[in-house]
Amino acid sequence: MEKFTHIISTAVPLPMEDVDTDQIIPARFLKATTREGFGDNLFRDWRYHPDGSPKADFVLNNPTYSGKILVAGKNFGCGSSREHAAWSLTDYGFKVVVSSFFADIFRGNALNNGLLPVQVSPAFLDEMFKAIENDPQVKFIVSLEHQTIAIAGTEREEQFDIDPFRKVCMINGYDDIDYLLSLKDEIEQFEKKNLTENTAPVANASIS
Amino acid sequence: MSKTLFDKIWDSHVVKPVEGGMEVLYIDRHFIHEVTSPQAFDGLRQRNIPVFRTKNTVATADHNVPTQNQHLPIADPLGRFQVEKLTENCNEFGVDLYGLGHRWQGIVHVIGPELGITQPGMTIVCGDSHTSTHGAFGTIAFGIGTSQVEQVLASQCLLLKRPKRMRITVDGELAEGVVSKDIILYIISKLSAAGGTGYFVEYAGSAIRSLSMEARMTICNMSIEMGARGGLIAPDETTFEYVRGREFAPQGAAFEAAVAKWRELYSDPDAVFDKEYHYRAEDIAPMITYGTNPGMGIPVDEAIPTAPTPGDSLASFEKSLGYMGFAAGENLLGKPIHHVFIGSCTNSRIEDLRLAAKFVQGKQKAPHVSAMIVPGSKQVEAQAKAEGLDKIFIAAGFEFREPGCSACLGMNEDKVPAGEYCVSTSNRNFEGRQGPGARTILASPLTAVASAVEGKIVDVRSLLN
Ligand code: SF4
């Protein structure tokens, strides 16, 4: 996983609520068996007509807006657990998603892929949308270290929460597997002590 | 100290607390399928590590499989490649696979319970958000992303933060024509699509207790649709009787010993929940959705609200109605529909099929409606055939397909055309979920089958004698 410390970037506004992962990446594009290339189909059905031509009114097709930060409405990432949603956002080039509320699984998936979910207050989210509306070139400063997000050139800044363990992982580019693998002995001890008849592994069933 | 059921199970699976409030949780059962596992297996290969506990891992192919001619090679090359990749990965890493052609193949959340792999008190995960289904047995079961699939394959553990606990109590008796799908659609319409975020839900109350295991699974299945991590129901005699004798359940004395332990799985009377809700079964009518998230549900005989319900903004509300082609304040009774889909891990079990068949027997679907029954598993399919349900459906003009996720997510060719209405027993009415531009109306199998016969949205209560 790539290390993440801070980012200064313009942002892409998507002021919609309940953006579910079926919108972020529709199921018919989940047939790939690698993690790459999903960015092309990010927001596919909002972004393209059925014939593949771009929809002019969708924000990703509007050259006025660009940047590594996506700013979205409440309850972003709800629905399917598909990690492909996080992969398509990072593959497209986003490093940060800002919303006033994230669905649980999406938040975890994002963090596992070096995509920082920044949850801000509804009021601050509003200010961000307004700032972009006034000046699409406005930059935002996201510091993971200080857990702050600021609107450049203004005094406006807000703290955001992140689990301390996740923060260390993102700053150093570690993932959970490295950590879990280091616990092998403890996991085996736990199994010895706790596995009972009903939680013991399933028997190998004969294939017929 | 008194504890909730959730905490009892969680505590007994903590390998180790980690600084900052996370915990390493041991996972008893891990289900995998073709769509969310290939990248996880690649990760293991890159690290050159094996699957840590192959026997806790069970695989099936469901999301991407065709529901016709399953004996033939899959026509779609990408889909075929993905399913073949699963077989290769399972062979290489030594994981049991009940894939296409196997008599146990089916939707992952249907086969786990029916094979007795799902048992009370367990922790269960799968790279699919409806893993919450297994909570019906009194398990902590939830969906995970592919990175976590890789973590579980590598270590049989996950690093997690304990969610908060919510209890939803439904007391009383359901009216005729109202089934468990209506209970959960009702709850989600009250709490909104995000109302459960951050929580793990326990369903309790006399209305829940009186449900069969399959009906309980329908409820727990949709916990994720209110944003909750999962939902569970304390196991009882209904649960034990369901598990008894299944392929992977403990047998004989071992089963009795297991039941003795399972009997301790309940929330202590004075256990404290972070949030509680109470509903009355008598207040619940057959439900349908009118919008593009599962929180946008109404009793079938009531009008679409004239303003967004709490939790949705006006913009989202209007966008939703625009997509669906409905008007605020409109009553949907009598609205013509084009498709009916009875299937998905929410409602594709034998009881769902029996309920639908009983209604449809001797009737015909409306000529302009295409209606499809997709059983949840090979075992459900076989059982339905043994009972002659397939013949009833076919005689009524329905298609009776082979098992898979099918039109629930429109990954294979089972899609709803743009702009057309589908009354569906699945769990998500998102834009484009059943195909680009598809308009999904979620409902119970009973409402769905009645709508197929009438060719429009109907209140099934008016058709029951
Ligand atoms: S039936 Fe639908 S919800 Fe269930 S596992 Fe398959 S795709 Fe997911």
Side-chain angles (χ1 to χ4, degrees):
Chain A
M1 203 169 88
E2 245 175 84
K3 294 180 185 183
F4 188 116
T5 50
H6 68 279
I7 261 182
I8 304 174
S9 172
T10 50
V12 177
L14 187 70
M16 276 186 236
E17 295 173 1
D18 300 319
V19 173
D20 59 73
T21 53
D22 273 82
Q23 301 318 320
I24 300 174
I25 179 92
R28 59 188 195 284
F29 299 111
L30 305 187
K31 294 181 185 177
T33 53
T34 63
R35 290 175 197 237
E36 288 83 41
F38 288 102
D40 293 344
N41 294 313
L42 173 67
F43 295 119
R44 175 81 202 195
D45 294 334
W46 286 342
R47 199 166 143 202
Y48 297 105
H49 292 289
D51 66 5
S53 60
K55 293 185 178 175
D57 59 349
F58 187 62
V59 66
L60 292 192
N61 296 324
N62 184 341
T64 315
Y65 303 103
S66 64
K68 296 190 168 115
I69 303 172
L70 179 70
V71 187
K74 176 166 79 61
N75 201 23
F76 186 85
C78 58
S80 157
S81 59
R82 61 189 66 163
E83 194 159 319
H84 312 68
W87 300 336
S88 55
L89 288 161
T90 54
D91 193 58
Y92 184 85
F94 289 118
K95 300 260 180 232
V96 175
V97 189
V98 181
S99 176
S100 56
F101 196 84
F102 288 97
D104 278 339
I105 303 183
F106 176 81
R107 181 199 296 270
N109 286 342
L111 288 163
N112 277 326
N113 287 279
L115 175 68
L116 183 67
V118 173
Q119 185 162 324
V120 295
S121 66
F124 194 77
L125 186 70
D126 244 22
E127 281 184 49
M128 289 185 70
F129 280 131
K130 290 214 177 88
I132 302 171
E133 198 179 308
N134 291 335
D135 174 13
Q137 297 312 314
V138 65
K139 289 206 165 99
F140 299 91
I141 306 154
V142 180
S143 162
L144 177 53
E145 211 172 346
H146 298 113
Q147 295 179 225
T148 51
I149 177 162
I151 305 175
T154 72
E155 306 268 280
R156 299 300 301 139
E157 181 181 276
E158 202 172 79
Q159 292 282 142
F160 62 86
D161 280 340
I162 180 169
D163 184 88
F165 183 88
R166 294 274 169 234
K167 180 173 167 179
V168 173
C169 285
M170 275 203 83
I171 289 179
N172 295 295
Y174 297 154
D175 60 27
D176 288 2
I177 298 190
D178 299 328
Y179 175 72
L180 290 170
L181 287 172
S182 75
L183 297 180
K184 216 164 159 190
D185 290 346
E186 286 171 75
I187 296 169
E188 279 174 350
Q189 273 164 26
F190 173 89
E191 287 179 326
K192 278 206 195 92
K193 213 167 83 205
N194 293 285
L195 281 198
T196 54
E197 192 73 40
N198 67 317
T199 50
V202 291
N204 194 354
S206 58
I207 308 277
S208 61
Chain B
M1 211 191 81
S2 49
K3 276 189 188 179
T4 67
L5 169 59
F6 174 83
D7 288 286
K8 285 183 184 177
I9 302 173
W10 182 285
D11 286 344
S12 68
H13 286 81
V14 173
V15 174
K16 172 189 173 107
V18 182
E19 231 176 295
M22 312 268 288
E23 288 166 296
V24 177
L25 195 75
Y26 189 82
I27 302 301
D28 294 317
R29 293 286 182 273
H30 185 197
F31 294 106
I32 58 174
H33 62 83
E34 75 276 24
V35 177
T36 56
S37 69
Q39 294 87 353
F41 280 112
D42 277 348
L44 297 186
R45 252 180 233 115
Q46 273 157 24
R47 290 171 204 261
N48 201 16
I49 51 174
V51 171
F52 183 64
R53 291 289 176 256
T54 50
K55 293 301 164 242
N56 299 42
T57 316
V58 177
T60 191
D62 55 1
H63 280 63
N64 205 356
V65 301
T67 54
Q68 281 173 312
N69 295 319
Q70 286 186 349
H71 58 289
L72 298 178
I74 301 177
D76 166 32
L78 287 175
R80 185 170 67 235
F81 184 72
Q82 203 170 46
V83 171
E84 280 168 0
K85 195 91 203 152
L86 177 71
T87 310
E88 277 167 30
N89 283 331
C90 288
N91 287 341
E92 179 181 338
F93 285 90
V95 171
D96 282 344
L97 166 69
Y98 308 130
L100 271 189
H102 194 281
R103 67 190 161 94
W104 290 346
Q105 180 265 339
I107 303 174
V108 58
H109 313 308
V110 175
I111 71 168
E114 80 183 0
L115 290 170
I117 297 170
T118 303
Q119 296 164 26
M122 289 180 165
T123 48
I124 299 180
V125 297
C126 173
D128 183 283
S129 52
H130 295 96
T131 308
S132 58
T133 312
H134 307 261
F137 292 79
T139 71
I140 292 183
F142 53 92
I144 55 176
T146 299
S147 295
Q148 291 172 305
V149 170
E150 188 179 336
Q151 290 160 27
V152 180
L153 289 174
S155 69
Q156 208 56 39
C157 287
L158 282 173
L159 199 52
L160 297 165
K161 194 168 189 150
R162 187 184 302 230
K164 291 180 277 186
R165 315 105 183 120
M166 176 188 290
R167 180 161 60 189
I168 298 177
T169 306
V170 188
D171 281 314
E173 266 185 60
L174 291 175
E176 170 133 49
V178 181
V179 294
S180 68
K181 178 69 163 282
D182 300 309
I183 302 181
I184 190 65
L185 285 173
Y186 176 85
I187 292 172
I188 301 168
S189 78
K190 294 283 173 203
L191 296 185
S192 90
T197 306
Y199 291 88
F200 213 96
V201 180
E202 178 174 346
Y203 301 97
S206 61
I208 304 289
R209 293 254 75 85
S210 66
L211 297 174
S212 70
M213 282 318 292
E214 297 196 357
R216 293 180 192 183
M217 283 187 245
T218 302
I219 302 228
C220 292
N221 173 277
M222 289 192 72
S223 307
I224 181 76
E225 303 312 334
M226 51 182 150
R229 275 312 245 133
L232 81 176
I233 295 172
D236 56 14
E237 295 307 320
T238 308
T239 321
F240 311 146
E241 281 320 301
Y242 181 97
V243 176
R244 185 193 295 275
R246 293 188 182 262
E247 275 84 359
F248 292 102
Q251 308 289 338
F255 180 77
E256 298 313 324
V259 169
K261 280 208 287 91
W262 295 343
R263 284 189 202 286
E264 289 159 27
L265 295 171
Y266 54 84
S267 288
D268 294 327
D270 45 355
V272 179
F273 290 80
D274 299 294
K275 220 173 217 178
E276 293 233 38
Y277 294 96
H278 294 267
Y279 300 108
R280 282 161 28 102
E282 290 78 7
D283 292 341
I284 305 176
M287 296 287 294
I288 53 167
T289 59
Y290 60 88
T292 54
N293 75 56
M296 303 174 90
I298 43 171
V300 68
D301 57 345
E302 278 182 23
I304 295 174
T306 48
T309 46
D312 278 308
S313 70
L314 184 62
S316 303
F317 178 68
E318 283 173 350
K319 182 170 184 293
S320 243
L321 289 183
Y323 180 86
M324 292 299 293
F326 294 151
E330 185 180 355
N331 192 312
L332 296 179
L333 273 185
K335 188 103 190 160
I337 54 143
H338 310 92
H339 304 271
V340 166
F341 170 64
I342 297 185
S344 90
C345 57
T346 316
N347 284 120
S348 64
R349 297 179 178 81
I350 192 67
E351 287 177 13
D352 301 313
L353 269 47
R354 283 183 191 139
L355 186 69
K358 188 170 164 220
F359 182 89
V360 91
Q361 183 149 34
K363 299 189 181 85
Q364 277 293 320
K365 70 161 183 75
H368 67 277
V369 169
S370 79
M372 188 158 84
I373 310 272
V374 183
S377 70
K378 281 313 249 190
Q379 294 207 74
V380 172
E381 180 191 3
Q383 181 66 29
K385 286 186 169 166
E387 297 176 20
L389 307 185
D390 57 331
K391 295 213 173 61
I392 297 175
F393 289 124
I394 291 165
F398 286 63
E399 283 186 72
F400 187 80
R401 295 287 189 90
E402 293 172 279
C405 294
S406 181
C408 172
L409 86 168
M411 229 185 134
N412 68 359
E413 44 290 315
D414 304 342
K415 292 184 180 63
V416 174
E420 300 194 354
Y421 292 106
C422 178
V423 176
S424 176
T425 66
S426 54
N427 42 49
R428 287 193 170 136
N429 51 350
F430 297 155
E431 272 186 39
R433 171 83 177 179
Q434 297 194 291
R439 291 165 161 172
T440 304
I441 297 162
L442 300 177
S444 76
L446 200 52
T447 297
V449 79
S451 300
V453 169
E454 300 289 318
K456 56 190 187 197
I457 295 173
V458 288
D459 186 341
V460 69
R461 289 171 300 187
S462 66
L463 302 170
L464 299 171
N465 12 4

